[in-house]
C-alpha cells in the first residue's frame, strides 16, 4: 500500500516539461550558426597582436642594451639550460663587474678597486659571518703612552662598569647607579677660541666625565616587594647597544631594568634565588643573560620585558658570563672549575674543565718576580676556582683564575690551549702575626707568597687584544698569537720602567706612595673589579678607550682590602704612527657594527 508518506523522495520530484520551442525560431538559430561558422576565426588576429607586442618589447630592450653598451642577455632557452651553480657564478661576476663600473666612474686606480672594494669587502663579510678572530690590532696601539683620567663620586667600592658610547654607567656597594658622559679624546677635543689675540693660553678641554644622573637604593626597604630599587650592594651592570636599557643585578636577588635616558625603573625581576653576579647582552639585540649564585643562568627579552628560560648545569655559584653575536654564552662556575658554553637555540652545552695539570702548573717565570721571591718560583699553584671569562670570538675565549692564571680555550678542545701562570705576580708572604691566631706566633713557620687573583678580564671582540686586572697596580695587555695557540705579553697600560713593568711587591709598595699628579708613572690603585673597552673612530682608527672599576675591596666581599681609591679610571690608548699608516694584518670590522660638572640631578 503506497501513500505520500511511504513514497521515496526520488519519486516525489516533479519532472519539468521541456519548453516548447517555435520551429521558426529554431530554424533561425540554426541559420545564424551556419553563418557564424562561415566567418573567419579571430585567433590568428590575437596571435598577431601578441607577436607585435613582443616584437616591440624586444626592439625596446635591444635599444636599451645598445644605449648602455651591454651585450644582449641570453634568451629563455639559454637560461633553461643554465644550472644553479652556473647562474650563481654569472650573478657573482655581474656583481663584481658592477662594483668596478661604479668605481671607475669616480676615477680610482684598478689596484685600489681590487684591494679596497672587492677583496676587503668579501673578506670582511666572510669573517663577520663565521665570527672568527680576524683583526690583529695590538701591534698598532701605543699602550705605553696611554693617558689616565680618574673620576669618582662619594661612593663605596665600584663593583662594575658598562659602556654605551658616549655614556658610562657605574654601580657600587652603597646601592648607587650613576650615569656619566665621556669627554672627547684629547687629540680631537675642542679648544676655546677668542676673537682677540691674547697672551693667555687657551683653556684646556674638559678631561673628566660629566655626572649626569644618579639613583640610590635603600637597604631598609628589603621587606617591601613593591620597592622599585635595590636593597643590597649592586654587583653588576650592563647597557644595551641601542642605548635604551640599562640592567643591574645585586646581592638582593633582584634584576632591575632601567630606562637609559632618565634611569627610571621599568621592570624588577625576582626569579633568581640568590645574588645576581653578572650580566651580558647578546650583541646587536636586547636579549640579556644573567648569572647568579643560585647556580643558574637565565635569559631575558627586554623588547617584551619578559623572562625566557633557565639554564642548569653548574655545580657551584656562577660568577661571570660573556656573550657575542650568536645565540650562545659562556659562563664560569667558580669552585666547580668549569667553563660552560651554552648553545641556547640547540638547548645544549659544552663543558670545559679547568683545575690545571702538572704541565700547566709549571714554575713561575723569573721576570715576574723580585729577588726575594725567587725561592717561591719553584712552587706550583693549583687552580681553586675560575672567576672571570671573556669571549675573543665565537670559537675562542679566555678565563682568569684564583691562582693568577689566564687560560686560552678553544671549542675544539676540552682543556686549555695555553695558560699564563701567575700573570699578575705574587703577594708578599704574610707576617707570622698575620698568619697565626696565637698570641705568640711561631717565627720558624713563615708564610708563603700567594698569587694574585685575576679579578677582571676584557677583550676587543673579534681581535687579538686581551686586558687583565688584579690588585698589583697594573692593567696588563696580552696578545693572541697568529696561530691562535699562545698568549703573548704585550705590555701594560701607562708609563712604566722595565723593572716596574715586571711587577714585584716592592714596586707595588712604591705605587701606593706615588702622588696623584705624578705623570712619570701611571698606577692603578686598588682592586680592578671590572674592565670595559670600546674603539674610537671608524674601525678603531682613533684608538681605544679603556674604563676600569676600582675599589679598596673585592666586588664580592671584604676578605681582601687594598690601599686605593673607590671610583673609576679611564685610559685613552692611541694608535701608533706606523700602525695608523700601515694596512691591517687582516681585513675586517666588528660584525655587530659595532671633572664633575654642574649638570647632575638626583632621582
Amino acid at each position: 500500500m503506497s501513500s505520500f508518506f511511504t513514497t521515496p523522495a526520488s519519486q516525489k520530484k516533479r519532472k519539468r516539461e521541456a519548453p516548447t520551442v517555435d520551429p521558426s525560431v529554431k530554424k533561425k538559430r540554426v541559420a545564424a550558426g551556419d553563418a557564424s561558422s562561415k566567418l573567419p576565426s579571430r585567433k590568428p588576429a590575437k596571435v598577431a597582436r601578441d607577436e607585435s607586442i613582443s616584437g616591440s618589447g624586444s626592439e625596446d630592450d635591444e635599444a636599451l642594451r645598445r644605449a648602455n653598451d651591454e651585450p644582449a642577455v641570453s634568451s629563455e632557452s639559454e637560461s633553461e639550460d643554465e644550472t644553479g651553480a652556473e647562474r650563481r657564478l654569472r650573478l657573482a661576476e655581474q656583481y663584481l663587474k658592477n662594483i668596478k663600473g661604479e668605481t671607475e666612474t669616480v676615477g680610482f686606480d684598478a689596484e685600489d678597486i681590487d684591494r679596497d672594494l672587492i677583496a676587503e669587502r668579501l673578506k670582511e663579510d666572510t669573517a663577520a659571518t663565521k665570527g672568527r678572530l680576524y683583526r690583529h690590532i695590538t701591534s698598532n696601539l701605543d699602550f705605553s703612552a696611554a693617558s689616565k683620567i680618574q673620576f669618582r663620586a662619594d661612593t663605596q667600592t665600584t663593583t662594575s662598569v658598562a659602556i654605551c658610547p658616549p655614556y658610562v654607567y657605574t654601580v657600587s656597594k652603597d646601592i648607587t647607579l650613576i650615569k656619566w658622559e665621556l669627554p672627547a679624546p684629547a687629540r680631537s677635543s675642542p679648544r676655546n677660541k677668542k676673537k682677540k689675540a691674547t697672551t693667555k693660553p687657551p683653556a684646556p678641554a674638559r678631561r673628566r666625565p660629566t655626572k649626569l644622573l644618579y639613583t640610590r637604593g635603600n637597604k631598609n626597604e628589603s621587606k617591601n616587594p613593591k620597592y622599585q630599587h635595590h636593597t643590597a650592594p649592586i654587583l653588576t651592570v650592563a647597557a644595551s647597544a641601542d642605548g635604551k636599557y640599562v640592567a643591574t643585578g645585586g646581592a638582593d636577588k633582584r634584576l632591575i631594568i632601567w630606562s637609559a635616558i632618565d634611569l627610571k625603573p621599568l621592570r624588577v625581576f625576582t626569579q633568581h634565588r640568590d645574588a645576581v653576579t653578572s650580566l651580558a647582552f647578546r650583541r646587536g639585540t636586547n636579549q640579556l643573560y644573567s648569572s647568579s649564585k643560585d647556580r643558574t643562568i637565565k635569559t631575558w627579552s627586554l623588547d617584551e620585558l619578559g623572562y625566557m628560560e633557565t639554564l642548569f648545569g653548574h655545580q657551584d655559584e656562577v660568577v661571570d658570563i660573556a656573550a657575542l653575536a650568536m645565540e650562545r654564552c659562556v659562563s664560569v662556575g667558580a669552585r666547580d672549575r668549569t667553563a660552560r658554553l651554552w648553545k641556547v637555540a640547540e638547548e645544549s652545552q659544552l663543558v670545559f674543565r679547568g683545575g690545571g695539570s702538572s704541565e700547566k702548573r709549571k714554575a713561575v717565570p723569573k721576570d715576574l718576580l723580585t729577588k726575594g721571591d725567587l725561592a717561591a718560583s719553584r712552587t706550583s699553584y693549583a687552580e681553586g676556582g675560575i672567576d672571570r671569562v671573556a669571549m675573543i670570538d665565537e670559537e675562542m675565549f679566555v678565563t682568569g683564575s684564583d691562582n693568577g692564571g689566564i687560560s686560552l680555550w678553544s671549542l675544539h678542545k676540552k682543556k686549555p690551549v695555553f695558560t699564563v701562570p701567575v700573570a699578575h705576580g705574587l703577594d708578599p708572604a704574610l707576617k707570622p702575626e698575620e698568619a697565626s691566631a696565637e698570641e705568640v706566633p711561631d717565627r720558624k713557620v713563615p708564610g708563603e707568597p700567594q698569587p694574585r687573583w685575576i679579578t677582571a678580564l676584557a677583550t676587543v671582540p673579534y681581535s687579538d687584544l686581551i686586558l687583565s686586572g688584579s690588585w698589583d697596580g697594573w692593567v696588563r695587555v696580552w696578545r693572541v698569537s697568529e696561530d691562535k695557540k699562545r698568549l703573548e705579553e704585550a705590555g701594560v697600560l701607562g708609563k712604566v720602567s722595565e723593572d716596574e713593568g715586571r711587577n714585584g711587591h716592592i714596586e707595588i709598595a712604591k705605587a701606593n706612595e706615588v702622588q696623584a699628579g705624578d705623570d712619570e708613572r701611571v698606577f692603578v690603585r686598588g682592586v680592578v673589579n671590572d674592565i670595559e673597552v670600546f674603539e674610537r673612530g671608524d674601525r678603531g682608527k682613533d684608538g681605544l678607550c679603556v674604563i676600569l672599576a676600582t675599589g679598596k675591596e673585592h666586588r664580592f666581599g671584604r676578605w681582601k682590602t687594598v690601599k686605593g681609591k673607590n671610583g673609576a679610571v679611564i685610559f685613552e690608548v692611541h694608535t701608533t704612527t706606523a700602525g695608523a699608516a700601515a694596512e691591517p694584518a687582516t681585513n675586517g670590522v666588528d660584525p655587530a657594527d659595532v671633572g664633575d660638572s654642574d649638570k647632575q640631578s638626583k632621582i
Side-chain angles (χ1 to χ4, degrees):
M1 179 177 179
S2 63
S3 65
F4 178 80
F5 299 96
T6 61
T7 304
S10 60
Q11 298 180 7
K12 294 179 183 179
K13 295 181 180 179
R14 297 179 180 179
K15 296 184 179 180
R16 296 182 181 181
E17 297 180 357
T20 59
V21 182
D22 192 359
S24 60
V25 176
K26 188 174 182 180
K27 290 181 180 180
K28 289 182 181 179
R29 290 180 179 176
V30 173
D34 296 340
S36 62
S37 63
K38 296 179 181 179
L39 293 176
S41 177
R42 293 187 179 182
K43 287 186 177 180
K46 185 175 181 180
V47 171
R49 187 184 303 112
D50 294 341
E51 291 178 354
S52 64
I53 293 174
S54 62
S56 62
S58 62
E59 292 175 1
D60 295 339
D61 293 342
E62 189 68 25
L64 183 60
R65 294 192 194 101
R66 292 175 182 175
N68 294 334
D69 295 331
E70 293 182 358
V73 182
S74 59
S75 61
E76 294 181 358
S77 60
E78 295 179 0
S79 62
E80 291 177 358
D81 298 336
E82 189 179 38
T83 63
E86 293 174 349
R87 182 174 180 273
R88 288 192 294 270
L89 179 61
R90 177 173 58 81
L91 293 177
E93 292 175 351
Q94 186 65 28
Y95 173 70
L96 296 177
K97 185 176 180 181
N98 293 340
I99 294 177
K100 289 184 178 180
E102 292 175 0
T103 54
E104 283 175 359
T105 57
V106 182
F108 291 103
D109 296 335
E111 184 179 356
D112 295 335
I113 295 171
D114 293 338
R115 184 179 68 253
D116 298 335
L117 298 178
I118 300 175
E120 184 175 338
R121 185 183 300 181
L122 294 178
K123 286 182 180 180
E124 290 173 3
D125 294 342
T126 303
T129 302
K130 295 182 179 180
R132 296 177 178 175
L133 182 147
Y134 56 92
R135 288 192 302 163
H136 300 281
I137 63 175
T138 306
S139 58
N140 298 335
L141 296 171
D142 189 4
F143 299 102
S144 61
S147 60
K148 173 189 171 184
I149 304 172
Q150 187 163 3
F151 64 99
R152 62 186 296 270
D154 293 332
T155 61
Q156 296 179 8
T157 297
T158 304
T159 56
S160 184
V161 62
I163 298 178
C164 181
Y167 303 109
V168 177
Y169 303 89
T170 60
V171 293
S172 59
K173 287 188 175 181
D174 57 355
I175 327 177
T176 301
L177 169 63
I178 304 178
K179 179 180 180 180
W180 309 79
E181 183 179 5
L182 288 174
R187 290 184 178 179
S188 60
S189 57
R191 298 284 182 175
N192 295 336
K193 297 182 179 180
K194 296 183 179 181
K195 296 181 179 180
K196 296 181 180 180
T198 59
T199 57
K200 296 181 179 180
R206 177 176 59 88
R207 298 185 61 205
R208 294 183 181 275
T210 303
K211 183 194 290 186
L212 300 179
L213 298 168
Y214 76 98
T215 175
R216 177 173 292 179
N218 187 355
K219 63 181 181 180
N220 297 325
E221 297 288 343
S222 59
K223 297 182 179 180
N224 183 4
K226 297 182 179 180
Y227 185 60
Q228 300 289 307
H229 210 297
H230 287 283
T231 59
I234 305 177
L235 302 179
T236 180
V237 62
S240 62
D242 58 2
K244 292 183 179 180
Y245 305 105
V246 176
T248 58
D252 55 356
K253 312 176 187 179
R254 295 189 177 191
L255 170 62
I256 303 181
I257 310 301
W258 310 80
S259 170
I261 299 176
D262 52 8
L263 293 187
K264 294 290 185 181
L266 302 177
R267 186 73 183 271
V268 178
F269 296 104
T270 58
Q271 279 85 343
H272 278 295
R273 294 179 296 173
D274 207 335
V276 180
T277 57
S278 184
L279 299 171
F281 275 96
R282 180 184 170 194
R283 293 174 66 87
T285 69
N286 286 328
Q287 184 175 348
L288 179 68
Y289 302 100
S290 65
S291 63
S292 172
K293 289 185 178 181
D294 62 4
R295 300 181 293 179
T296 65
I297 295 169
K298 297 185 184 295
T299 61
W300 316 82
S301 176
L302 299 195
D303 292 327
E304 292 82 14
L305 290 177
Y307 160 79
M308 295 178 64
E309 62 178 318
T310 302
L311 307 176
F312 298 90
H314 278 289
Q315 303 302 312
D316 195 20
E317 55 190 35
V318 187
V319 293
D320 200 10
I321 193 170
L324 286 180
M326 296 182 67
E327 194 173 0
R328 56 177 59 175
C329 61
V330 178
S331 61
V332 290
R335 289 292 179 178
D336 70 0
R337 294 180 292 183
T338 63
R340 296 175 184 254
L341 175 72
W342 305 87
K343 298 181 180 180
V344 179
E346 293 85 350
E347 297 183 352
S348 63
Q349 58 177 295
L350 298 178
V351 182
F352 303 87
R353 301 195 180 277
S357 63
S358 59
E359 180 181 355
K360 300 302 179 183
R361 295 196 305 267
K362 49 190 174 181
V364 181
K366 294 182 180 180
D367 56 356
L368 292 180
L369 302 172
T370 59
K371 295 180 180 179
D373 290 335
L374 291 180
S377 62
R378 302 182 182 91
T379 306
S380 60
Y381 299 93
E383 186 177 60
I386 305 178
D387 297 331
R388 300 299 265 175
V389 64
M391 296 189 71
I392 299 175
D393 56 23
E394 302 293 353
E395 296 184 354
M396 300 184 70
F397 61 93
V398 290
T399 59
S401 307
D402 61 357
N403 67 342
I406 299 177
S407 299
L408 176 67
W409 302 78
S410 173
L411 299 190
H412 309 294
K413 192 175 181 181
K414 297 300 183 181
K415 288 293 184 178
V417 177
F418 184 80
T419 298
V420 179
V422 197
H424 283 259
L426 299 173
D427 261 346
L430 295 176
K431 298 178 181 179
E433 54 269 17
E434 296 175 345
S436 175
E438 300 292 336
E439 294 182 358
V440 183
D442 187 2
R443 299 285 177 176
K444 297 181 181 180
V445 186
E448 294 183 357
Q450 296 297 320
R452 300 184 181 95
W453 313 334
I454 304 300
T455 58
L457 268 180
T459 63
V460 176
Y462 307 100
S463 74
D464 63 341
L465 179 62
I466 302 171
L467 300 173
S468 65
S470 186
W471 59 82
D472 59 339
W474 311 107
V475 176
R476 296 193 173 273
V477 184
W478 310 90
R479 177 195 301 111
V480 181
S481 62
E482 293 185 1
D483 58 359
K484 303 177 185 178
K485 294 182 179 180
R486 296 180 60 86
L487 291 179
E488 303 171 352
E489 187 176 1
V492 296
L493 289 182
K495 302 175 183 178
V496 296
S497 64
E498 295 183 359
D499 295 336
E500 291 167 342
R502 296 306 179 186
N503 179 22
H505 65 267
I506 298 178
E507 284 71 23
I508 300 306
K510 293 181 180 179
N512 294 329
E513 298 175 358
V514 175
Q515 298 299 324
D518 190 353
D519 293 332
E520 295 300 326
R521 298 178 179 87
V522 179
F523 297 98
V524 179
R525 303 183 187 181
V527 181
V528 179
N529 286 316
D530 198 8
I531 301 177
E532 285 289 328
V533 188
F534 74 94
E535 297 179 275
R536 290 198 180 272
D538 184 20
R539 305 184 188 181
K541 291 183 179 179
D542 296 335
L544 295 177
C545 181
V546 183
I547 302 181
L548 317 176
T550 61
K552 299 179 181 180
E553 304 167 353
H554 191 272
R555 64 187 183 122
F556 286 151
R558 304 186 65 181
W559 54 79
K560 185 65 179 179
T561 302
V562 181
K563 293 183 179 179
K565 291 185 177 181
N566 300 326
V569 179
I570 298 177
F571 281 98
E572 292 287 351
V573 184
H574 300 290
T575 56
T576 59
T577 305
E583 291 293 332
T586 54
N587 298 311
V589 295
D590 192 335
D593 298 296
V594 66
D596 299 347
S597 175
D598 294 336
K599 296 189 298 181
Q600 50 180 294
S601 60
K602 181 177 180 180
I603 298 176

